[in-house]
Amino acid sequence: MSVMLRSKDLLGIRDLTPEEIKLIIDTASGFKDVLKRDIKKVPALRGKTVVNLFFEPSTRTRTSFELAAKRLSTDVINFSVPASSVVKGETLKDTALTIEALGADFVVVRHSSAGVPHFLSRILRASVINAGDGANEHPTQALLDLFTIRAHKKRIKGLIVVIIGDIAHSRVARSNIYALTKMGAKVRLVAPSTLIPLEVERLGVEVYNSVEDGIRGADVVMTLRLQLERQVKGFLPSPEEYFNLYGLTTERLRLAKKDAIVMHPGPMNRGVEIETEVADGPQSVILEQVTNGLAIRMAVLYLLSRRRRTR
Amino acid sequence: MSILIRNGYVIDPSQQIKGHRDILIKDRRIEGIYPRGKGPKARMTIDASKCVVVPGFVDMHTHLREPGYEYKETIETGTKAALRGGFTSVCPMPNTDPVNDDISVTEYMIREASRLGYASVYPVGAITKGQRGEELTEMEMLKEAGCVAFSDDGRPVMNSLIMRRALEYSKIFDLPIISHCEDINLSQGGVMNEGYVSTILGLRGIPKVSEEIMVARDIALCKLTGGRLHIAHVSTEDSVRLIREAKRMGLNITAETCPHYFTLTDESLMNYDTNLKVNPPLRTSRDVEAIKEGLADGTIDVIATDHAPHHYDDKNREFDTAAFGISGLETAFALSLRLVDEGVLDMNGLVSKMSINPARILGIQKGTLKPGAQADIIIFDPEREFTVDVERFYSKGKNSPFNGWQLRGVIVKSIVSGEVYEWE
């Protein structure tokens, strides 16, 4: 294959070319077939070590990375905050170097502070994979979203994708904005003005305050999890009012294209950002996103290790 | 002991001197200024050919960290770094531990600096006890002990009534109140300028209005009270505009900015380099242009460093939790000299903003080469280039985003109170 990932790390979609994004998704297709087999394991990365370094609680993403790594026959270590020495006051740098000294080939990191993966990539020889850093990026989420969209729509280019929710604090939104615009989709953002970051239009997206206006004619409707503490910080009066204004209901979904799909990165707040009927309805691909996440993460690990070997 | 500085190009805005002159120093003071070649014989002669000779710079905004944070900087390393950077006088801000809200701290700083003999130290006392923003400090006693201004720098005086009282009360002593303008409700949790770049990076933003609202408030209080207001580290376009209008109204207001605010923008943060994390934050190119205009038209009176040295461990960490600040003493002059190349200021204007202007605001007999003044003199080679190397800083704070930059303008000698420091 002529296309390769250029970096030793996956820090964000912002750094990827459209070719790299396509490469990861194409590779994930292959792994998805593996996941359908009776024996779901391949020896591709035997002898490699993956460390899940999670400074923020996460079950879904960590489990997904863990399973993806195991399907590739790596050894996986989970290093999460409560169990780690971070609480004892160890610095981020020391934690990371300790993990590398254990012989990690991949460090999958999640942290509440944006830029932590970039910091680690500068001090570690291991490949750093960003599993979510503050409000910056969550690249594997966007990749699995694109993979899911492509599986249903057979293309990305020209699609209208609407993202509803807390754009300001969402790394999922940022990664998806970069990924979707790079692949030629039209991206609309819908949120109250308090949750729209400044000058976001310059990223090539359209901004709507009205969910009805934003959703009209969309091919893909993506809602984001609303962090309930936003209310306390003055971004919103209440989750109820948020649901009234921005909750994804059956009625609102009717404004989108008939064959529109509904996505959510999880975990969902039913009755806050999405109605149960929609979450569980025929247009929802939410559980498929989870399955595809596994394939995407396998593809990322595989492609980064391939790059390391040939280097 | 007498020293003659020969053949130098002397610039002293306090006496409108611009030209080749000889300067005689005697008994630690300036004895006289003579036409080139006419200076009398002295015990020691310094040849300043091809160099510019100016009054020692006055940095009215420095953090020396001692007492309390000696692992970041000490009075010794800080005042030596100051001399290296051309500053023969520095004004340490009161956010030490304990806070400089008590004459024991003021006296300690001055005593320690004078024992060392590097740059002279003119402390800035706190406006409020413990910098808590609640009760005024004993300003008269602090002044007697040697404080030359008052500030709660590092944090704002959020309570408008306390700020009003400070501006009123300090009038008795004719000392300026230096305001750190930041509405902390608006800036809370922010780590960089709020705008397109913070949107991209997913970092919490500090909006420009958090500064501008407080500039506007303080101008209103200045108008009400007739007190002396000095705005610290101006970083935004609208702050410049507000100050310009206030000056037009004839208010008793002065302002400073720092080299990073006319040199860098928030675009430089794209790689999450914590050495670029500073408060107020680096703004946009529009703000940089406005600050240059403010410097050019006199709205901004002073270039100060806001030298904020930090330990490596304070910076080498998560962006969100890394310390704010730039170690600035040893790069400020060369960065400011770029303003002359760009035509923003002429050499005379630049020297004014780094010497006589801050000295006048603080009411100290510095920043001048007038006969009788303490012999604080800087000799620099305006053409020589150098590469910034933080490992060679005298400051303990290696936290400079300018490391590796190629700059022009090398300070060759710093003379403080007749004592000559030669740099190599």
Side-chain angles (χ1 to χ4, degrees):
Chain A
M1 232 184 300
S2 60
V3 193
M4 291 264 276
L5 297 183
R6 292 168 307 152
S7 166
K8 81 171 171 68
D9 312 298
L10 177 64
L11 302 180
I13 303 289
R14 191 151 56 84
D15 313 317
L16 297 181
T17 61
E19 292 71 31
E20 287 175 304
I21 294 171
K22 189 169 176 297
L23 171 68
I24 297 169
I25 294 174
D26 289 345
T27 310
S29 293
F31 283 119
K32 199 173 177 185
D33 296 337
V34 172
L35 294 171
K36 286 176 189 153
R37 288 186 209 155
D38 191 27
I39 294 172
K40 301 179 177 62
K41 202 160 179 163
V42 289
L45 266 63
R46 198 167 48 199
K48 299 284 178 192
T49 304
V50 177
V51 175
N52 280 327
L53 180 56
F54 277 59
F55 295 89
E56 248 187 6
S58 155
T59 315
R60 310 167 67 98
T61 305
R62 189 186 53 70
T63 311
S64 179
F65 266 108
E66 184 176 348
L67 201 52
K70 284 180 172 165
R71 295 276 185 254
L72 293 167
S73 307
T74 68
D75 296 310
V76 188
I77 298 163
N78 287 312
F79 196 98
S80 10
V81 185
S84 79
S85 45
V86 175
V87 282
K88 294 176 199 151
E90 190 176 59
T91 66
L92 172 63
K93 188 183 129 197
D94 289 331
T95 306
L97 290 174
T98 303
I99 277 166
E100 184 159 79
L102 292 172
D105 299 291
F106 299 91
V107 175
V108 178
V109 62
R110 166 165 294 189
H111 200 290
S112 58
S113 183
V116 162
H118 307 70
F119 173 77
L120 295 184
S121 77
R122 286 194 286 268
I123 59 174
L124 296 181
R125 281 186 313 267
S127 284
V128 175
I129 300 172
N130 184 358
D133 64 326
N136 178 40
E137 284 221 44
H138 190 355
T140 56
Q141 178 69 43
L143 290 165
L144 75 88
D145 288 341
L146 258 67
F147 182 33
T148 308
I149 293 169
R150 200 181 70 173
H152 283 267
K153 302 289 172 196
K154 310 294 171 225
R155 64 185 173 114
I156 307 280
K157 200 171 176 190
L159 293 179
I160 297 173
V161 181
V162 54
I163 306 176
I164 307 167
D166 183 358
I167 310 295
H169 302 93
S170 175
R171 51 193 173 217
V172 175
R174 279 178 183 71
S175 284
N176 263 305
I177 290 168
Y178 300 135
L180 289 163
T181 51
K182 279 179 197 228
M183 302 310 282
K186 292 196 181 81
V187 179
R188 299 176 182 169
L189 306 178
V190 177
S193 302
T194 49
L195 295 175
I196 293 283
L198 283 186
E199 300 185 47
V200 73
E201 298 86 351
R202 285 176 62 186
L203 296 176
V205 298
E206 289 176 14
V207 175
Y208 295 81
N209 288 141
S210 148
V211 69
E212 285 79 10
D213 291 348
I215 219 165
R216 196 157 284 132
D219 297 285
V220 177
V221 182
M222 201 182 280
T223 57
L224 301 174
R225 177 180 170 78
L226 183 78
Q227 301 288 337
L228 296 174
E229 70 262 21
R230 300 291 170 236
Q231 184 190 342
V232 188
K233 300 230 168 110
F235 293 99
L236 294 168
S238 71
E240 291 75 22
E241 177 146 314
Y242 180 81
F243 180 76
N244 289 343
L245 280 168
Y246 296 100
L248 186 59
T249 58
T250 315
E251 202 179 321
R252 284 174 176 152
L253 185 58
R254 257 184 229 123
L255 298 169
K257 288 214 180 105
K258 270 203 181 63
D259 60 347
I261 55 170
V262 172
M263 306 177 80
H264 192 297
M268 284 183 279
N269 294 307
R270 288 172 187 259
V272 178
E273 68 262 0
I274 190 165
E275 200 179 59
T276 287
E277 288 74 5
V278 176
D280 301 339
Q283 286 167 278
S284 166
V285 297
I286 294 170
L287 289 174
E288 205 182 317
Q289 285 175 271
V290 178
T291 315
N292 288 342
L294 215 50
I296 281 289
R297 287 168 183 128
M298 286 173 81
V300 167
L301 287 166
Y302 173 74
L303 289 168
L304 288 176
S305 85
R306 242 181 115 248
R307 188 191 170 278
R308 289 171 71 82
R309 217 177 312 144
T310 28
R311 188 176 43 168
Chain B
M1 170 78 171
S2 57
I3 305 167
L4 184 72
I5 304 170
R6 297 168 54 224
N7 294 327
Y9 188 88
V10 176
I11 297 176
D12 180 10
S14 76
Q15 320 177 66
Q16 284 91 44
I17 293 177
K18 232 168 47 176
H20 286 95
R21 300 282 195 285
D22 292 351
I23 300 176
L24 182 67
I25 301 168
K26 209 173 160 189
D27 300 330
R28 300 181 166 272
R29 294 189 177 273
I30 309 252
E31 178 74 11
I33 299 185
Y34 312 90
R36 171 149 60 166
K38 303 279 194 233
K41 282 216 157 51
R43 284 274 296 277
M44 179 185 168
T45 306
I46 294 171
D47 182 19
S49 303
K50 293 182 183 157
C51 284
V52 181
V53 181
V54 295
F57 302 139
V58 176
D59 185 17
M60 68 182 294
H61 197 139
T62 318
H63 296 275
L64 293 180
R65 305 296 188 207
E66 185 179 349
Y69 305 99
E70 289 82 358
Y71 69 100
K72 292 175 191 268
E73 188 83 291
T74 61
I75 292 173
E76 179 170 5
T77 55
T79 53
K80 199 163 184 189
L83 271 194
R84 180 69 190 95
F87 297 94
T88 50
S89 303
V90 294
C91 301
M93 284 294 169
N95 58 343
T96 45
D97 184 16
V99 167
N100 185 12
D101 59 0
D102 186 280
I103 58 166
S104 60
V105 180
T106 312
E107 285 170 350
Y108 171 76
M109 288 176 171
I110 294 172
R111 199 167 55 237
E112 177 68 1
S114 86
R115 181 182 72 79
L116 292 161
Y118 302 128
S120 308
V121 159
Y122 293 92
V124 176
I127 297 173
T128 64
K129 288 175 189 152
Q131 294 191 296
R132 283 187 296 271
E134 293 158 5
E135 287 172 71
L136 295 186
T137 53
E138 294 155 330
M139 291 184 180
E140 193 271 341
M141 287 203 256
L142 288 167
K143 181 187 177 175
E144 284 308 307
C147 285
V148 294
F150 299 102
S151 181
D152 274 0
D153 185 65
R155 55 178 75 172
V157 177
M158 277 301 289
N159 184 327
S160 304
L161 178 62
I162 299 293
M163 191 60 170
R164 171 188 177 168
R165 297 294 182 235
L167 283 162
E168 284 170 339
Y169 192 73
S170 62
K171 273 187 355 180
I172 312 171
F173 322 109
D174 196 29
L175 292 187
I177 295 290
I178 301 175
S179 180
H180 169 113
C181 291
E182 174 184 0
D183 182 323
I184 51 171
N185 293 313
L186 283 166
S187 64
Q188 208 168 37
V191 294
M192 67 170 294
N193 180 52
E194 183 181 6
Y196 179 57
V197 182
S198 69
T199 291
I200 289 179
L201 294 178
L203 288 171
R204 251 168 299 173
I206 299 173
K208 294 179 195 179
V209 291
S210 74
E211 174 174 319
E212 292 149 359
I213 278 179
M214 294 300 261
V215 170
R217 180 201 72 171
D218 289 347
I219 287 170
L221 291 172
C222 177
K223 188 175 173 191
L224 172 71
T225 61
R228 286 187 55 194
L229 175 66
H230 178 80
I231 306 290
H233 42 56
V234 171
S235 77
T236 82
E237 182 183 18
D238 275 355
S239 292
V240 174
R241 184 179 57 74
L242 289 162
I243 296 163
R244 183 178 292 127
E245 284 167 16
K247 284 193 164 187
R248 246 181 235 143
M249 288 192 289
L251 300 186
N252 214 341
I253 180 174
T254 53
E256 74 189 29
T257 190
C258 314
H260 38 276
Y261 299 121
F262 55 72
T263 309
L264 297 170
T265 67
D266 58 358
E267 305 264 346
S268 61
L269 281 149
M270 287 305 244
N271 212 19
Y272 296 97
D273 179 359
T274 55
N275 281 330
L276 294 153
K277 183 177 171 184
V278 60
N279 189 24
L282 303 174
R283 306 290 188 181
T284 67
S285 51
R286 273 188 74 143
D287 299 291
V288 166
E289 287 315 306
I291 282 169
K292 288 180 182 172
E293 279 169 38
L295 283 163
D297 72 7
T299 302
I300 299 175
D301 308 85
V302 171
I303 297 173
T305 67
D306 196 1
H307 176 69
H310 285 294
H311 190 271
Y312 181 74
D313 291 341
D314 299 329
K315 282 290 193 180
N316 199 32
R317 52 182 307 137
E318 298 91 323
F319 198 92
D320 280 341
T321 57
F324 286 101
I326 290 174
S327 178
L329 281 170
E330 290 166 82
T331 51
F333 173 63
L335 290 169
S336 303
L337 207 52
R338 288 154 49 112
L339 296 174
V340 176
D341 294 337
E342 293 173 28
V344 174
L345 294 174
D346 59 15
M347 196 69 97
N348 194 66
L350 174 67
V351 173
S352 303
K353 288 184 200 293
M354 298 186 78
S355 58
I356 190 65
N357 291 5
R360 278 184 184 141
I361 291 167
L362 300 165
I364 60 176
Q365 305 306 311
K366 294 285 179 181
T368 175
L369 300 175
K370 276 188 185 142
Q374 204 101 52
D376 289 356
I377 303 171
I378 296 301
I379 303 173
F380 68 90
D381 181 342
E383 297 305 326
R384 216 167 102 197
E385 293 196 350
F386 71 105
T387 306
V388 179
D389 178 1
V390 293
E391 295 311 321
R392 296 186 64 193
F393 276 9
Y394 285 90
S395 169
K396 282 192 182 183
K398 312 301 180 193
N399 50 306
S400 169
F402 304 108
N403 191 31
W405 281 40
Q406 190 80 19
L407 296 175
R408 206 147 50 81
V410 172
I411 287 159
V412 185
K413 287 184 180 66
S414 307
I415 302 169
V416 59
S417 198
E419 202 74 46
V420 181
Y421 290 86
E422 188 159 353
W423 309 106
E424 205 28 68

